[in-house]
Amino acid sequence: MGHGHAHHHDHDAASGTDVPPALDLSIPDSDLPPADLNRRGFLRNAGLLGAGAATTVLATGTPAVAGGHDHGHGHGPGGDHGRTGGFHWLAGDHHIHTQYSSDAMYRVIDQARHARAYGLDWMVVTDHGSATHAKIGVEKVNPDIVAARSRLKDLLIYQGLEWNIPAAEHATVFVHPGRNEVAVLKEFENSFDGSVRSAGDNTPANEALAVAGIKFLGEAVRKRRVEGALFLANHPARRGIDSPHEIRAWRDADPSVAIGMEGAPGHQAAGLPRDSGGRARGYYDNNPSANSFPGYPLESYRTWGGFDWMTSTVGGLWDSLLAEGRAWWISANSDSHVNYLDTSQRGPGSDFNLNGRYNDPVHGPVITDAGDYWPGQYSRTHVGASSFNYRAVMDGLRAGRVWVDHGGLIKGLDVRARVAGDRRANSGTPLGGVLRVRRGTAVDVTIDIDLADIPNWSQFVPVLARVDVIAGRVTGPVADQDSFTAPNTKVVKSFDVTAKTGRVSFSYSFGRVDQPFYLRIRGTDGKRSQPGLMGAGVDPFGPALDVAGAANPWEDLWFYANPIWVLPK
């Protein structure tokens, strides 16, 4: 399934651990040569210089490289895969398990070949952090990843791990490929994993250890041990233990590393009706515990239209962060461990505790009670990248040029905030960006959607029914770090989609703007909806609460896009 990608690995550019002059803040600007001064200025304005350099869009510069100007190059001669709005939209999955996880079984090459077959361009191997994994797994899985990279030249394969966040849930942590990827991940896991360090309870010391872990990753980048490192919180509302103040603290610890959370968890097949009664979609079938944040409502422990409550509630936790001006992005993925209707089983004679891995899987009976799909089979995270390489995908994720979908609901998406009347191709501010305008300027959002035109992996062509524009005022940092509502955010416009093929375009005018605000977009097949938790006046037709054992994910499809801010001055 080649796409004509020109494959670049972009390995570590420096061998030592010395801080480059541009990154060494002990050197004043006046002592830097012009080239280093320019680099420092770029990084400072992008909010990437120093931990917490720009934690909100209200600070000087933006909290991430929000771009739209570096459209880069194609994937290679004749390669133009997924090109929309001046970017290559590369589909991927950042949460995938292999035989090096105690509760999974597949080889790296198994997951990678399926990811490629299901249309993905990039993936992250994220085996569970644990004492066994820290001693054995990080090193043992690396040759398998390196071999898969060599065999599948048109798939970017990152090495990462699923971090047991001290005092909190899990997170994807991954690094740019290079000679230090194993060393950095192993040191990180041994020093900061909540399971390894017995730091699971929600104590201040454990919360501080999580912050220190994120800062360690940022320092590893600044010291050029690795070219990049990213953190995304996984299934954040599943157990109610990722409190609002912890999420804010992770972002503030280093905005160039801690970039977001799963907007929708994996395990989407878990809610399928079956003879055994089934589980909850995403395995979101928990209740509050002693470590849970007491302010979360019971509804937060279930998914809504397959999405996490933090994302799916208009005016909820995600919006409370965006209303502060915090760049906090969402993703979607498979969390693939054992896949529904697969025909394999763990290799006989396996001793995971001794070897840190299961023996290679063998043919077995059809698996009907599993809750997972293969990478790309159902959930996809689409990243607007300047080109096809590891750095460009990480830059696109960091910049928030990301939209996610379930079941192949749509084929392509381009959202732009624009000065009214500007309809030039690729102009305006894309997803994740900040549009700065003079006060009183009229601003529009334009939405261009390429509709699905081939059957998805459940053998039907999805039909988009509605697109919603959600917007809220940017009110700045909150006094209470455990705030999780945004009272000024609501659905401001809904568009019914009547076309079944081709491209559809919508435009909504915000009029002349004099207050900072943000906007975000979602869409649905319209098969399941109910008023949102904040009331019908805020969200009249939001996603519906998923019912355990009766949640067919293919009959409830949504896409969500990351926000754009508009800041008049």
Side-chain angles (χ1 to χ4, degrees):
M1 295 188 62
H3 292 284
H5 299 319
H7 197 62
H8 307 291
H9 286 285
D10 289 343
H11 290 295
D12 291 319
S15 57
T17 58
D18 291 338
V19 180
L23 306 185
D24 186 349
L25 298 182
S26 68
I27 303 174
D29 289 3
S30 58
D31 290 351
L32 289 176
D36 287 327
L37 183 61
N38 286 340
R39 185 180 184 210
R40 177 179 287 183
F42 169 78
L43 293 171
R44 182 180 284 138
N45 288 337
L48 300 177
L49 186 60
T55 57
T56 78
V57 301
L58 300 175
T60 302
T62 62
V65 180
H69 304 294
D70 176 17
H71 300 323
H73 304 286
H75 292 22
D80 199 32
H81 176 66
R83 193 170 179 86
T84 301
F87 299 106
H88 295 283
W89 290 94
L90 305 180
D93 185 324
H94 71 75
H95 191 174
I96 299 167
H97 294 267
T98 74
Q99 66 198 118
Y100 296 91
S101 286
S102 61
D103 52 358
M105 68 176 181
Y106 301 113
R107 290 164 291 221
V108 171
I109 194 65
D110 299 330
Q111 293 285 31
R113 290 180 66 211
H114 279 89
R116 197 69 206 93
Y118 284 117
L120 297 190
D121 301 288
W122 60 273
M123 59 173 274
V124 186
V125 175
T126 54
D127 290 307
H128 287 290
S130 65
T132 301
H133 185 257
K135 292 176 182 176
I136 303 172
V138 174
E139 290 174 322
K140 275 199 170 185
V141 73
N142 183 260
D144 296 354
I145 292 174
V146 171
R149 288 171 181 159
S150 178
R151 294 186 66 178
L152 299 173
K153 301 283 190 184
D154 57 352
L155 178 68
L156 303 171
I157 307 174
Y158 297 88
Q159 181 167 356
L161 55 83
E162 185 163 22
W163 183 28
N164 297 294
I165 309 172
E169 255 281 8
H170 297 166
T172 287
V173 167
F174 68 103
V175 298
H176 190 289
R179 67 182 164 279
N180 291 324
E181 59 187 326
V182 171
V184 168
L185 288 170
K186 189 168 185 177
E187 184 179 347
F188 169 80
E189 186 175 12
N190 277 294
S191 300
F192 302 105
D193 186 83
S195 175
V196 175
R197 296 291 303 274
S198 298
D201 290 339
N202 63 342
T203 66
N206 290 343
E207 291 183 10
L209 184 63
V211 167
I214 292 169
K215 290 182 175 180
F216 166 86
L217 294 170
E219 283 300 304
V221 176
R222 279 182 279 280
K223 292 179 179 178
R224 303 300 293 275
R225 295 182 66 192
V226 290
E227 285 197 27
L230 293 177
F231 158 103
L232 292 121
N234 293 340
H235 36 75
R238 185 180 66 171
R239 293 163 53 209
I241 60 175
D242 290 4
S243 64
H245 73 264
E246 287 175 281
I247 293 172
R248 289 179 167 95
W250 301 335
R251 173 65 184 171
D252 291 350
D254 194 318
S256 68
V257 172
I259 62 169
M261 64 185 180
E262 288 181 355
H267 308 308
Q268 289 286 329
L272 282 166
R274 57 192 97 197
D275 293 341
S276 63
R279 295 273 306 269
R281 198 169 172 184
Y283 291 137
Y284 272 49
D285 49 11
N286 299 281
N287 293 297
S289 69
N291 284 318
S292 298
F293 175 66
Y296 289 150
L298 286 176
E299 290 91 341
S300 69
Y301 291 83
R302 302 293 181 265
T303 54
W304 295 74
F307 277 73
D308 187 288
W309 162 87
M310 292 186 183
T311 294
S312 61
T313 301
V314 175
L317 190 143
W318 187 32
D319 285 315
S320 76
L321 300 173
L322 303 182
E324 285 190 275
R326 290 178 189 268
W328 188 250
W329 317 125
I330 62 164
S331 62
N333 48 69
S334 63
D335 199 357
S336 171
H337 287 71
V338 178
N339 297 321
Y340 179 64
L341 300 185
D342 185 32
T343 53
S344 60
Q345 60 188 8
R346 288 176 184 148
S350 297
D351 188 335
F352 185 88
N353 290 330
L354 177 64
N355 299 317
R357 67 190 290 274
Y358 291 106
N359 294 337
D360 291 349
V362 298
H363 180 72
V366 63
I367 303 171
T368 59
D369 60 350
D372 306 344
Y373 289 116
W374 290 103
Q377 186 180 2
Y378 183 76
S379 301
R380 301 179 297 173
T381 294
H382 305 261
V383 179
S386 61
S387 56
F388 181 81
N389 61 60
Y390 287 99
R391 183 186 295 130
V393 170
M394 294 184 86
D395 286 349
L397 285 166
R398 193 178 290 111
R401 288 194 299 269
V402 175
W403 60 273
V404 304
D405 79 310
H406 282 163
L409 177 58
I410 59 175
K411 181 180 178 181
L413 176 68
D414 187 44
V415 181
R416 304 271 169 160
R418 306 172 181 267
V419 173
D422 180 6
R423 294 296 184 269
R424 293 171 297 163
N426 301 340
S427 67
T429 299
L431 298 179
V434 179
L435 174 62
R436 300 177 188 276
V437 296
R438 292 177 183 268
R439 196 176 304 275
T441 301
V443 172
D444 298 344
V445 59
T446 58
I447 308 161
D448 296 311
I449 302 171
D450 294 317
L451 300 175
D453 57 6
I454 60 172
N456 60 21
W457 300 110
S458 195
Q459 322 314 323
F460 67 93
V461 180
V463 177
L464 181 66
R466 193 183 74 248
V467 176
D468 297 323
V469 180
I470 299 161
R473 279 184 26 218
V474 175
T475 52
V478 294
D480 180 2
Q481 295 297 293
D482 277 322
S483 296
F484 60 87
T485 61
N488 296 304
T489 298
K490 64 180 181 179
V491 176
V492 297
K493 179 66 177 179
S494 292
F495 297 99
D496 292 328
V497 182
T498 56
K500 299 296 187 287
T501 60
R503 169 173 283 200
V504 293
S505 297
F506 304 100
S507 177
Y508 176 73
S509 174
F510 290 95
R512 297 186 181 277
V513 300
D514 59 3
Q515 297 292 328
F517 70 96
Y518 70 94
L519 63 98
R520 61 183 180 90
I521 309 297
R522 74 179 182 198
T524 178
D525 62 1
K527 294 183 178 179
R528 292 184 73 242
S529 65
Q530 69 180 70
L533 284 175
M534 300 299 180
V538 171
D539 186 9
F541 301 105
L545 177 69
D546 291 316
V547 178
N552 184 338
W554 299 97
E555 292 295 312
D556 188 14
L557 303 180
W558 294 77
F559 79 79
Y560 283 71
N562 275 296
I564 303 171
W565 285 268
V566 178
L567 304 183
K569 56 184 178 181

